[in-house]
Amino acid sequence: DVKVTQSSRYLVKRTGEKVFLECVQDMDHENMFWYRQDPGLGLRLIYFSYDVKMKEKGDIPEGYSVSREKKERFSLILESASTNQTSMYLCASSPGIEAFFGQGTRLTVV
Amino acid sequence: GENVEQHPSTLSVQEGDSAVIKCTYSDSASNYFPWYKQELGKRPQLIIDIRSNVGEKKDQRIAVTLNKTAKHFSLHITETQPEDSAVYFCAASLTGGGNKLTFGTGTQLKVEL
């Protein structure tokens, strides 16, 4: 069974804080993704990575950055959290076709 | 880039009826179209997918159809059951490029007893 694990299920952070969301997959997938899920807007791609140390912007990268130092780990960074970044964040990994999702991190910025 | 539109946003059916969810995509180069089901509080999971060289695919009570010319694809669920209640997302991508999925906005399906 593919396992994609996100470090936190729920997070509450203050405006202006630097926030790290961590994602680890155990299937040696090359591709990893960060999505944001908001009601009525579906899943929107923030950043993705095809390989270690490689990253590409998705559709809504503003206010976010990522890091992929090891193949199994893909981190999403909110440089200075704002209230409009309150959302559900979903990590996914893929060997090339099917995407496997983590359980999600519900981030609240107060 | 790719844009995927999904309708309806909510769908309520009686148990045993059929449910149909429709999506359109904009990029004619897209060649992979998966459908994900997300139950309340859980992660999205793939339920069926179709590639552009196939017009229809069926797996028990669910089926997906693809019209490449019109850039439409649809999910059909027959004999709906309460456990089919969930949010369904369609998506489109071009395989070979890391499979960056572009998702629709989701359909909340409610199957009523």
Side-chain angles (χ1 to χ4, degrees), chain A residues 47-58:
Chain A
Y47 267 96
F48 58 103
S49 170
Y50 295 151
D51 202 351
V52 176
K53 296 192 186 293
M54 177 275 173
K55 59 186 178 185
E56 284 199 28
K57 293 180 180 179

Side-chain angles (χ1 to χ4, degrees), chain B residues 34-111:
Chain B
W35 286 86
Y36 283 79
K37 175 183 180 182
Q38 186 178 30
E39 296 177 8
L40 189 62
K42 297 192 176 179
R43 69 193 74 195
Q45 292 196 301
L46 179 72
I47 55 170
I48 195 167
D49 56 14
I50 192 167
R51 303 201 191 195
S52 59
N53 59 348
V54 174
E56 184 174 356
K57 183 177 178 181
K58 191 172 180 180
D59 182 4
Q60 298 182 4
R61 294 187 298 109
I62 60 173
V64 58
T65 58
L66 171 65
N67 182 329
K68 282 172 52 180
T69 303
K71 290 187 275 188
H72 289 174
F73 59 113
S74 300
L75 177 71
H76 303 253
I77 306 173
T78 59
E79 300 172 21
T80 53
Q81 300 168 4
E83 52 265 39
D84 294 328
S85 295
V87 179
Y88 292 81
F89 293 98
C90 62
S93 76
L94 175 62
T95 58
N99 202 32
K100 184 185 75 166
L101 291 168
T102 300
F103 284 87
T105 50
T107 297
Q108 174 76 62
L109 174 65
K110 184 176 181 182
V111 180

